[in-house]
Amino acid sequence: MDKQDILAWLREADPQRLNQLWLDADRIRRESVGEAVHLRGLIEISNYCCRQCAYCGIHVLNTDVPRYRMTREEIIESARMAAAFGYGTVVMQAGEDAGITAEWMAEIVRTIRYDIGLAVTLSLGERTEEEFRLWHEAGANRYLIRFETSDATLYRRIHPSLPGTVSDRFAILKKLQSLGYETGSGVMVGIPGQSYDTLADDLLWFVTLGLDMIGIGPWIPHPDTALARKPDQFPTAGTEQVPNTAEMLFKVLALARVLCPAANIPSTTAIATIAGKEGRGNGLMRGANIVMPNVTPLCYRQMYAIYPGKASSLETPEETNRIICEHIRSLGRTIGIGPGDSPSFRQRQTAIS
Ligand code: SAH
């Protein structure tokens, strides 16, 4: 599939043709990663953030959001709960929080990986190479950091660099791969200013980067962000503007599966948020093979408000677990056992050894 094919699919409106894309993605998913849906327990460990991202509700200037950082004990407790639910992995995600110190995090990673026995994924933003190395040595298996958009001008507009630095997530992804992490990235779909052409490039970047995990979600406007408040500063791409609809999201998800057959691709919470109850299942039937049930304690969930109306934000971890497991079984899929490394990563490891 070349760029012209990708563009044609992104512009496709015929329901029958789209149905063929969903079926192709589902078949490729089955042949490459199988029927099992792997569950990752998501722990949103802190909503402190030093950045001013124009899309994200927990940016530093938002004084309306109460801030929290989970204690070590709370995080370990949530990880134990994930293990008790049978999840093989925990994902610890946060804003870019200097209060998450390198050693504190390393100790938590060690405990979860070696005492509790789960695979560990981190998603803590742009940190130093020394921190990435320390956490990998402590046992972290995977790191998620989305490049958000491959249009450099748009990226700078929505993701301002910190003073004296240049935010380069492509360079960070390379570094993570060289350190031996299983590496995940992805984009938001429908950011004002995102054209079909850039979105096609984003998809090609997934291939070029050789990603093991690909996270895709619709941009959901948050009322306390620059993107929602100051639309005049964020011009749209006019007739070339990508809409942030569920259908567009599913097209990108399905194309990601076709282009990167062996990657782990989640049906994300953001999909469930805009596409309603069926959203998560549709994601799983159009290319996805991963779900990330939230195990963050209820008292913190609503404070991790990166976008409004987040699916599952009013459920306890037990309720989320039950609802997601029932949904997966109702689709005729099985629930994955073990860490669920991506086949692309395993293939690379075997080639190296
Ligand atoms: N601080 C970490 C984790 C951020 S939250 C980091 O920057 O990597 C994880 C992802 O949520 C982001 O990468 C972004 O793609 C997505 N996100 C943030 N705000 C969003 C919004 N308003 N709508 C949809 N997705 C959003």
Side-chain angles (χ1 to χ4, degrees):
M1 191 180 279
D2 64 13
K3 187 166 172 184
Q4 289 314 315
D5 300 324
I6 296 173
L7 277 168
W9 277 119
L10 292 175
R11 296 181 202 276
E12 183 60 64
D14 176 40
Q16 271 182 343
R17 299 253 316 142
L18 284 175
N19 203 39
Q20 195 51 52
L21 177 62
W22 313 148
L23 291 174
D24 285 348
D26 198 43
R27 176 182 48 78
I28 293 171
R29 184 270 309 155
R30 191 177 314 114
E31 290 167 1
S32 340
V33 293
E35 291 292 21
V37 177
H38 286 280
L39 301 179
R40 322 296 201 196
L42 175 64
I43 316 177
E44 295 156 336
I45 65 174
S46 162
N47 73 348
Y48 283 94
C49 192
C50 61
R51 297 239 163 217
Q52 299 186 25
C53 301
Y55 46 89
C56 183
I58 61 169
H59 65 88
V60 64
L61 300 176
N62 188 1
T63 48
D64 286 343
V65 54
R67 302 287 168 167
Y68 74 92
R69 184 179 308 114
M70 289 173 68
T71 64
R72 177 183 195 282
E73 290 67 33
E74 288 172 324
I75 298 170
I76 300 300
E77 183 58 33
S78 295
R80 287 196 196 285
M81 188 179 284
F85 291 147
Y87 307 162
T89 299
V90 292
V91 180
M92 288 180 274
Q93 191 178 83
E96 238 166 84
D97 175 10
I100 296 175
T101 57
E103 257 314 322
W104 180 81
M105 196 67 233
E107 192 46 44
I108 291 171
V109 169
R110 271 181 219 114
T111 306
I112 297 179
R113 175 80 192 275
Y114 297 111
D115 296 350
I116 305 180
L118 297 178
V120 174
T121 304
L122 299 176
S123 177
L124 306 173
E126 298 166 40
R127 307 284 305 224
T128 65
E129 183 167 355
E130 290 67 40
E131 290 170 317
F132 291 142
R133 182 175 293 113
L134 179 72
W135 296 336
H136 188 62
E137 285 167 4
N141 307 68
R142 314 184 185 125
Y143 205 95
L144 302 175
I145 186 158
R146 293 186 183 176
F147 61 82
E148 316 292 3
T149 171
S150 61
D151 175 338
T153 310
L154 178 59
Y155 179 70
R156 275 195 299 276
R157 204 184 298 150
I158 63 168
H159 186 96
S161 294
L162 295 174
T165 68
V166 176
S167 166
D168 183 349
R169 291 190 163 197
F170 288 97
I172 291 175
L173 286 163
K174 286 254 152 4
K175 206 171 285 171
L176 290 164
Q177 283 172 328
S178 71
L179 288 169
Y181 278 96
E182 213 178 315
T183 305
S185 192
V187 296
M188 284 178 286
V189 172
I191 312 162
Q194 183 183 49
S195 66
Y196 286 97
D197 193 74
T198 350
L199 187 54
D201 285 340
D202 293 351
L203 279 154
L204 291 170
W205 270 109
F206 297 164
V207 184
T208 307
L209 291 166
L211 298 178
D212 304 306
M213 304 170 282
I214 302 170
I216 302 154
W219 167 65
I220 303 175
H222 186 299
D224 296 330
T225 57
L227 264 173
R229 282 198 169 169
K230 302 174 185 161
D232 45 314
Q233 289 180 11
F234 300 94
T236 74
T239 53
E240 289 300 302
Q241 173 65 43
V242 172
N244 60 342
T245 57
E247 181 173 277
M248 183 56 63
L249 199 282
F250 290 130
K251 287 182 190 176
V252 180
L253 187 79
L255 290 167
R257 172 59 69 200
V258 173
L259 290 162
C260 307
N264 275 335
I265 303 182
S267 187
T268 56
T269 307
I271 301 179
T273 302
I274 63 152
K277 261 186 159 166
E278 297 309 313
R280 205 174 261 134
N282 280 336
L284 289 171
M285 292 189 297
R286 296 169 182 181
N289 69 320
I290 301 283
V291 175
M292 295 164 62
N294 202 320
V295 291
T296 311
L298 197 51
C299 60
Y300 298 129
R301 272 196 206 195
Q302 281 182 304
M303 290 188 240
Y304 197 78
I306 52 180
Y307 49 81
K310 234 166 93 194
S312 305
S313 64
L314 298 173
E315 297 160 9
T316 62
E318 288 83 357
E319 284 164 342
T320 304
N321 175 54
R322 183 179 50 74
I323 292 166
I324 287 177
C325 290
E326 276 172 12
H327 197 156
I328 292 169
R329 292 201 184 92
S330 76
L331 302 171
R333 301 274 280 278
T334 56
I335 291 175
I337 295 167
D341 293 336
S342 85
S344 64
F345 183 73
R346 257 182 276 135
Q347 284 157 14
R348 248 200 346 269
Q349 294 304 97
T350 315
I352 291 166
S353 61

